[in-house]
Amino acid sequence: IEKKSFQRNFNVLNYKLTRELNKTCNSFRVKYTPPLPLSNLLEIDSIFSDEQSEKINKRTKQIRNKNQLEIVILSIDDLYPENDINEFANKKLVDWNIGKNFEKSGIITVFSKKLRQIRISTTFTSKKYLTDENCEKIISEIIIPNFKKDNYFDGIYKSLMEIKKIIK
């Protein structure tokens, strides 16, 4: 298995296995572990092609290295154990310590094609660079119009370009 495929498949397997164990085994709870390093894209519901995933990962790494802001993109099929995408995204942001080692901290974009929901959550520090208003504008003007046309890659990739422009 290629390194790219291994990381991607391992992250999905780890996430789904942990989630299913927690759903079905009340006496044995497993803490969700962060995705393997060197990957800023975790696709639980496999939206992107390998080439698209590589482009998204490359762009998030460029932003991280140049702008000191960690960005994680998470595509999901289920909000378990939360019922609300806002709570889900904020919990992942904290549980996975996104941005803890970076000057501008971190953000997570969580979306579900199946549930037709999206959220961009920021840490307290990153809110100084990317406000809630910025996030809402990116969602409403870039992501949603592309998602409505089933252009998930364009929606996410263009949102990364806009984030990069905003946080200079």
Side-chain angles (χ1 to χ4, degrees):
I1 298 176
E2 292 181 37
K3 181 182 175 188
K4 293 180 286 193
S5 298
F6 174 78
Q7 265 182 313
R8 186 178 187 178
N9 293 336
F10 180 84
N11 282 335
V12 170
L13 175 66
N14 180 42
Y15 184 91
K16 284 184 173 183
L17 181 61
T18 303
R19 181 181 66 193
E20 293 308 312
L21 280 171
N22 287 338
K23 278 183 175 181
T24 58
C25 189
N26 291 331
S27 62
F28 184 71
R29 293 283 178 197
V30 179
K31 183 174 168 81
Y32 283 96
T33 56
L36 282 177
L38 308 175
S39 178
N40 292 75
L41 174 63
L42 181 58
E43 293 183 81
I44 304 308
D45 56 356
S46 302
I47 298 290
F48 305 112
S49 70
D50 288 342
E51 181 182 328
Q52 290 172 332
S53 294
E54 192 173 323
K55 286 181 180 179
I56 291 169
N57 260 319
K58 184 177 179 182
R59 179 61 59 199
T60 58
K61 288 174 188 177
Q62 288 172 342
I63 294 169
R64 180 186 65 214
N65 294 337
K66 185 176 180 187
N67 302 97
Q68 288 296 299
L69 176 73
E70 184 176 22
I71 299 174
V72 173
I73 311 293
L74 173 59
S75 72
I76 55 167
D77 56 354
D78 185 348
L79 294 174
Y80 181 84
E82 310 302 330
N83 294 317
D84 176 77
I85 196 161
N86 298 330
E87 292 173 27
F88 182 90
N90 288 330
K91 188 161 177 38
K92 292 295 175 225
L93 191 66
V94 172
D95 288 352
W96 290 351
N97 292 314
I98 297 171
K100 74 174 182 171
N101 297 322
F102 296 92
E103 178 187 333
K104 294 179 182 172
S105 200
I107 68 170
I108 187 170
T109 299
V110 177
F111 71 94
S112 173
K113 179 179 178 179
K114 177 181 169 185
L115 302 174
R116 301 177 51 88
Q117 296 183 36
I118 182 157
R119 169 72 179 172
I120 300 174
S121 289
T122 58
T123 62
F124 181 76
T125 301
S126 63
K127 275 191 197 314
K128 297 174 192 171
Y129 306 97
L130 187 71
T131 65
D132 288 339
E133 292 80 23
N134 295 139
C135 294
E136 288 302 318
K137 187 175 180 182
I138 290 168
I139 290 171
S140 64
E141 294 180 9
I142 297 171
I143 297 175
I144 290 176
N146 281 288
F147 280 18
K148 283 183 177 180
K149 298 174 189 170
D150 283 336
N151 293 330
Y152 292 90
F153 171 75
D154 288 344
I156 294 300
Y157 195 81
K158 289 176 181 178
S159 74
L160 292 172
M161 299 302 290
E162 184 65 19
I163 289 168
K164 182 180 178 190
K165 198 180 341 176
I166 292 170
I167 62 167
K168 285 184 181 182

